[in-house]
Amino acid sequence: MEPPIVATVDRRSVTALFSRLRTSRGQTDPYPHYAELRSMGDIVPAPWGGHVVTSFGLCEHILRSRDWLVPDARWRQQQGAATRWTAASSREMAQTLPSLNPPEHTHVRKATAAMFDRRSLRALQHVVEKSTETLTGRLSERLHSREADLHTAVSEELPVTVIGKWLGLPPADYARLRELTHEQVFAQELLPSASQLARSDAATEQLRDYFTTLIRQRRARPGSDPVSACLRAWDALEPDREAADKAVHRVVFFVLLAALETTATLLTHSVLHLLQHPRQWHWLRAHPDQVPAAVEESLRFDPPTHVISRIAGPGAAIDGVGVEAGSMVHLLVGAANRDPAQHLEPDTFDVTRRATHLSFSAGMHYCLGASLARQEAVTLVTALLDRFPRLRLARAPEWAPRVAFRRPLTLYVTDSR
Ligand code: HEM
């Protein structure tokens, strides 16, 4: 018998399942837990309130529907003081693009999208290639007759180098910015603890100070970099200089947060799944034009972002049944990408399939950095296939105990020449 669309489940079993998912062990392979959740129904009541959705079709429908909204500043305030939604880090996030609803979202997205035009991305390709060459060169030195951690040496370095060069940030700041983004992400996790929120608040404050200084400097000495370009674009839209500075601050702050950890995870996952499937790794050596398809399959099979949240607007309904306005749904895109109703043999990693996924979201909040993230992953996998054809996994990788944002901690490899 088909499971019901909205399941009636034992709260304790769902609580236990999420407790397992929130451990490093659960993150080593979260997919059997998702399958268990799916077997309960397409929509499962979340023990902490709202619902969890695992079906690809429903997740996509909600993401594309105008009846569903993002948790914006007003909604967060309504949740009351002393909730995760009123923490300083959450209030800061509420001002950024992915937390805005129309009409504000439409206006800010248009101004932000100007930074991601084709010309800028083409110019960045050179930076991606040069940085990949330098980092794989360093990896080669480390691999000399021993194992090396590709995640730390390459995946964590490439995104911050690319964004840093793009925004014109001093390389001496990269390590600190990377650590601050890892700390800040806790505010965007599924169920952050009080101590995690405190770490996120502290990181948010440091990032705020950092970008306030940066914007002051770019005001004093404007250049051809995207921060100066963004200031010029906002000055044209916003007569109040202080308001324009704040708008640019939110853009740059969010771009840094959005770009670093997620892309590092994509890089490591793309390499990991190919090394775990050596035949596909070797097949790609003979078919380098298929590397983009392999990156898409990695995005489907094991995406960096696993949960996207939405709030029911006044007209929202699921399967024709009205949903209370203001209630939250957690779209488990990591599970949706493996929905058997969407893909044949969804648990098989297969670079030759035409992978469809929700890893960059869908609808009006679709990721603005998707092309750049893809560019970095394709460039890195191509360079590794070329430079280290006999690359092997040295030991099983480890993941941080997260749920919404997967975070690999290591990827030890050897080059068995
Ligand atoms: C593999 C890497 C990445 C993944 C998996 C990813 C994922 C996502 C997802 C799921 C969303 C939508 C959230 C929602 O619908 O509520 C999003 C939005 C966004 N991402 Fe990415 N992202 C990645 C890389 C990047 C990069 C490299 C940048 C910038 C350089 C970036 C910039 C943005 C921006 C500005 C938005 C907000 C769009 C909006 O709300 O209109 N992302 N990203």
Side-chain angles (χ1 to χ4, degrees), residues 352-415:
T352 64
R353 79 161 82 228
R354 289 171 72 89
T356 50
H357 58 75
L358 299 171
S359 309
F360 289 123
S361 191
M364 72 171 90
H365 289 277
Y366 185 81
C367 175
L368 278 173
S371 306
L372 178 59
R374 286 179 166 125
Q375 226 176 42
E376 290 183 40
V378 169
T379 307
L380 177 63
V381 172
T382 307
L384 293 174
L385 282 165
D386 192 42
R387 196 159 186 168
F388 309 104
R390 284 177 218 78
L391 200 68
R392 294 242 174 101
L393 208 54
R395 12 180 171 137
E398 290 165 58
W399 280 265
R402 305 267 200 86
V403 176
F405 291 84
R406 298 257 288 148
R407 184 186 170 197
L409 298 173
T410 57
L411 182 66
Y412 280 97
V413 292
T414 54
D415 185 22

Side-chain angles (χ1 to χ4, degrees), residues 182-220:
H182 285 316
E183 294 284 291
Q184 207 286 340
V185 164
F186 284 124
Q188 304 167 59
E189 255 303 322
L190 187 60
L191 301 166
S193 66
S195 65
Q196 288 173 335
L197 276 178
R199 284 164 68 181
S200 189
D201 289 352
T204 303
E205 200 178 319
Q206 290 190 52
L207 285 168
R208 192 190 303 123
D209 292 348
Y210 184 87
F211 287 117
T212 303
T213 308
L214 179 83
I215 286 168
R216 199 180 308 128
Q217 288 168 348
R218 297 292 156 91
R219 272 272 181 229

Side-chain angles (χ1 to χ4, degrees), residues 275-296:
L275 295 185
Q276 283 179 330
H277 298 84
R279 266 202 233 147
Q280 299 192 45
W281 171 266
H282 291 300
W283 183 83
L284 276 183
R285 289 237 333 130
H287 302 88
D289 57 316
Q290 294 303 308
V291 171
V295 169
E296 286 318 292

Side-chain angles (χ1 to χ4, degrees), residues 17 20 26 28-38 338 347:
L17 191 148
R20 291 197 300 277
T28 301
D29 188 6
Y31 300 100
H33 304 298
Y34 294 163
E36 192 183 331
L37 203 58
R38 184 179 297 110
R338 292 199 188 195
D347 294 323

